[in-house]
Structure formats: structure tokens, C-alpha cells
Amino acid sequence: MRLLHTSDWHLGRAFHRVNMLGAQAEFIGHLVSVAREREVDAVVVSGDVYDRAVPPLAAVELFDDALHRLADLGVPTVMISGNHDSARRLGVGAGLIDRAGIHLRTDPSAAGTPVVLRDTFGDVAFYGLPYLEPALVKDEFGVEKVGHESVLAAAMDRVRADLATRAEGTRSVVLAHAFVTGGEASDSERDITVGGVAAVPSGVFDGVDYVALGHLHGCQTITGRVRYSGSPLPYSFSEADHRKSMWLIDLAGDGSLTAERLDCPVPRPLARIRGALDDLLADPGLARHEDAWVEATLTDAVRPADPMARLMERFPHTLALAFDPERSPGDPDVTYARRLAGRGDQEIAEDFVLHVRGAGADEHERGVLREAFDAVRADETVREVTR
């Protein structure tokens, strides 16, 4: 069975101030063309179809167009909701759409109920594990410890239990939206940390033939059977070095597989440039970036006049401008933003406690802070998906 694995479309999302809807529509056309030309047997979409719980109408229309085109091809599609989607909204009409070969899996309680497709070697069971927000699904899965690993492990127990009841030789594919240990994150993914932990070990998925992951925006291989497709388009400058692509997976009758990486059309390359403004404007080595979307970081000791206007004379698609003057580490003018760079909310809060009282937070206090951050994030998730 030949599978086309994609995820993280984020329909409706912009790239800085650039509307990406046209590029997203081009990707959908590319996806449909690949499915037709490469004679794909099933398309799997591993979450974050939309960029937010209540997407703009244009994004909904593009999604509707994608479903119609895939259904017209007669290619079954299995799709789960991600942490950016509203599972309830995305799943509306799932029963009816199912008849057209578009299988939306957004209900955590159905984790152990697969979509079963058949090829010349027998059945392939597709299990859809939508994004599992631990605080919201802990009762469904009966877990004592609220965390990503515990709820995913419980969901996978249901998958393996169902698989054990099926005919010998039944192959299995799991779609999941999670941060798996070994994956490399970028700046454009929403933080899903719970209890100080965001990642789950890949061993959680043991026992199935292929795991089609979503959430991380870089295409990457965790193991031969556990892969991220990544987002088809860039959504932050941290993805400047990404090769945007999908996985074409051939799943043989004995469960062995081969994987081929297929490039996606990207509207414009990304470039991150750094240096003094005059040097950036004069450096002949930067000519290759003149048609790229550019993030420029200026290192001038004194902020130059009209930097964006001057940059855009050479790099007309400059979208982001930052200032990072080159100073010695002990310089008192080192900015607050630079001191916080790369630090999470928990670390910043603990640093604040140390600064205010002269002694760091103890283990109990760190636990209180962690619980507070988890509660706020869970509450924000609930409010977003129910409004």
C-alpha cells in the first residue's frame, strides 16, 4: 500500500505580514497531483489542518476544496486534529464525509477504532490519535499521572488491543500529533509542555508498522518507522534551512517499508542575515538572498537611521528586523530580551524568584509554578476550542 504522509498545513496562517493562502492553495494542488501521478492508495494528514480553532472563511473554503479534490480522485484520506485545530469543529460531519472516503478522526475515545483499507496483501488498519491534551483526556484514558506520555501510552494500548483481535498479517499505521523525543523543534510550533515535559519517547508507538507524526515543522526521521512529514510551507525564519516535503511510504505485505521524500513547492526561499547595515548592503556574497524573504539582524553599535527602508532597497522582501549590537558580555546595556532568549516560562519565573528574594525556588515551589503554568495553558486550550 502506498501512503502519502503530510501534516501541519496551518490553513489560514500568515508568514509575518505575508498572506500564505495562495501558497497553501498551490500546495493542495501539488498534493492532489502527487496523489494522482504516483498512484497513491491513501493520504494521511497528521493534524494542524487549520492554524487556529476558529479559522477564517477563506481557510475553510480551501479545506473544503481539498476534500472535494481528494474525494474526486477516489483516494482515501485519513486525517486527525492537531493542537491548533478545534477537534469538535473539524469533526463536524465526519460520519457523512466518511462515505466519500475522507476519514476525520478527532475523537480521542475512538483511538482504538481504525479505518481499515485493503490491498492485494490484505488489511491495513489506520488508527487516528488526535492531539491528546492531557488535562482534557485524562478521565477518558483513566490515567493517574497527567502528562503526554501517559495519555499517549494509554491510547496506544487501545490500538494494540484492537490490532490483536484482527486477522494475522494485518498491517497498521498510526497517525499522531505529538512531540517525540529526538525531534527537532522550530519557533513556529505552539508549546505543549505539561509538567515540565513536552516530549514522549518513540517507544510509546512500538508494535505498529508505521507512525505518521505531525506537530514539528521540520521533516525528520525519528526511526525507520516513526517519521515527521513537517509542514509543507515555512511559518518562521527558524525554518530557513528546512527542505519542505512529504513522505511517500510503500508498505509491503510483510510490513516492511520504503520511504521517499517528495519536495513541496515553496513560494520564496528564506534567508537570515546578520551584520552591520553597511556591510549587509555591500556584501556581494548576499546577492543570492535578494529575492528571498529576509530576516535581518543588525549588529551596529548605534542603531542606524531608516534601517528597514535601506535594507529593502537591496532586499525588497525583508520581513523581519532585529537589533543585536555586538557588545562584551559584561556590558550593562545587554538587553533584557537577550537575557531571556531561549528560556521557557518556568525558567524565567524561577529566575524572578531568585532575583526578588536572593534564594532560588525549592522543589515544592518549582512544582507549584509548574502546576500553575500547566493550568493556565490547559484553560487557554479549553477556552479556545469551546468558544
Side-chain angles (χ1 to χ4, degrees), residues 8-313:
D8 295 274
W9 295 357
H10 288 278
L11 301 181
R13 185 168 185 162
F15 181 71
H16 291 263
R17 61 178 179 271
V18 176
N19 186 321
M20 296 290 278
L21 203 64
Q24 291 168 342
E26 184 179 357
F27 162 70
I28 295 300
H30 173 72
L31 172 72
V32 172
S33 295
V34 168
R36 180 180 60 250
E37 294 166 6
R38 299 301 297 267
E39 299 180 336
V40 168
D41 297 305
V43 172
V44 295
V45 186
S46 299
D48 281 354
V49 175
Y50 292 122
D51 188 56
R52 56 182 185 266
V54 185
L57 179 59
V60 177
E61 291 173 339
L62 181 54
F63 177 60
D64 181 65
D65 178 62
L67 297 188
H68 276 85
R69 294 172 73 176
L70 288 167
D72 288 345
L73 271 184
V75 177
T77 299
V78 185
M79 183 178 296
I80 62 172
S81 50
N83 62 303
H84 279 249
D85 299 307
S86 165
R88 293 175 64 184
R89 284 188 173 87
L90 188 64
V92 169
L96 183 62
I97 297 172
D98 198 77
R99 302 177 191 177
I102 306 294
H103 309 283
L104 298 175
R105 292 295 182 262
T106 63
D107 183 358
S109 68
T113 304
V115 175
V116 180
L117 304 179
R118 190 171 182 83
D119 65 8
T120 56
F121 299 104
D123 289 345
V124 181
F126 290 78
Y127 297 90
L129 277 54
Y131 172 67
L132 303 175
E133 174 61 45
L136 303 184
V137 301
K138 59 183 177 63
D139 293 335
E140 167 62 34
F141 291 107
V143 298
E144 294 182 3
K145 183 178 180 181
V146 179
H148 290 292
E149 183 175 355
S150 60
V151 296
L152 263 174
M156 282 302 301
D157 284 344
R158 294 189 184 183
V159 168
R160 285 184 283 264
D162 179 83
L163 193 57
T165 68
R166 300 194 172 271
E168 185 177 354
T170 298
R171 289 154 290 158
S172 53
V173 175
V174 166
L175 289 73
H177 196 86
F179 190 161
V180 176
T181 303
E184 183 177 344
S186 59
D187 293 343
S188 52
E189 297 118 9
R190 183 179 293 169
D191 181 30
I192 60 171
T193 300
V194 173
V197 179
V200 300
S202 60
V204 165
F205 300 105
D206 285 351
V208 297
D209 294 306
Y210 183 65
V211 182
L213 293 174
H215 180 57
L216 299 185
H217 289 182
C219 180
Q220 48 201 300
T221 300
I222 305 300
T223 72
R225 296 186 181 276
V226 181
R227 298 169 184 262
Y228 283 99
S229 66
S231 62
L233 293 165
Y235 293 113
S236 72
F237 276 103
S238 65
E239 301 167 56
D241 295 329
H242 286 190
R243 173 186 164 196
K244 295 302 180 181
S245 52
M246 303 178 287
W247 286 113
L248 189 70
I249 304 294
D250 283 317
L251 187 60
D254 63 358
S256 62
L257 61 83
T258 59
E260 180 183 353
R261 196 170 172 186
L262 305 180
D263 291 332
C264 294
V266 177
R268 197 178 295 281
L270 273 57
R272 304 179 99 171
I273 60 176
R274 177 186 177 89
L277 179 57
D278 288 342
D279 293 339
L280 296 180
L281 296 178
D283 186 351
L286 298 180
R288 65 187 188 279
H289 299 317
E290 290 175 356
D291 194 44
W293 280 323
V294 169
E295 176 194 67
T297 299
L298 301 185
T299 60
D300 301 76
V302 177
R303 186 170 301 201
D306 300 322
M308 180 61 90
R310 293 171 63 191
L311 276 168
M312 292 185 70
E313 289 179 2

Side-chain angles (χ1 to χ4, degrees), residues 324-346:
D324 187 16
E326 292 185 345
R327 298 188 173 108
S328 64
D331 193 312
D333 290 334
V334 172
T335 67
Y336 182 67
R338 287 181 65 185
R339 293 200 302 271
L340 298 185
R343 304 181 68 78
D345 292 340
Q346 178 86 15

